[in-house]
Amino acid sequence: HQNYELIKSLHDRGMGYRKIAKYLNEQGIKTILGNTWKNTQVFSVLKKYRARQERIQWRWSLLDQKF
């Protein structure tokens, strides 16, 4: 979750996936598995978190319809 917030803020400022991966590696920040970052992993973090948020929104919208 911490990594997501950092990655999201860097991406929102216009950084691309490769530059974000390079930045994280330069800062010594590792992936959950303890590896260095690649652009594909940065993309996956953003995509998975976005998908999770959409699922949560969808569930709440279903609850709102029932009540």
Side-chain angles (χ1 to χ4, degrees), residues 6-62:
L6 176 58
I7 290 170
K8 175 102 173 79
S9 71
L10 295 170
H11 190 255
D12 287 348
R13 287 189 239 153
M15 266 183 137
Y17 303 130
R18 281 189 181 98
K19 286 188 179 179
I20 293 171
K22 184 177 184 224
Y23 175 82
L24 294 171
N25 291 329
E26 287 172 350
Q27 298 301 310
I29 299 169
K30 302 285 185 186
T31 66
I32 289 174
L33 298 176
N35 299 320
T36 57
W37 288 90
K38 297 181 178 101
N39 61 322
T40 53
Q41 292 163 313
V42 171
F43 173 79
S44 289
V45 167
L46 290 171
K47 181 181 169 188
K48 286 177 185 176
Y49 194 84
R50 196 168 25 238
R52 182 176 177 271
Q53 292 301 101
E54 288 172 6
R55 280 194 312 274
I56 290 168
Q57 289 274 328
W58 181 74
R59 286 181 184 152
W60 278 109
S61 69
L62 288 179

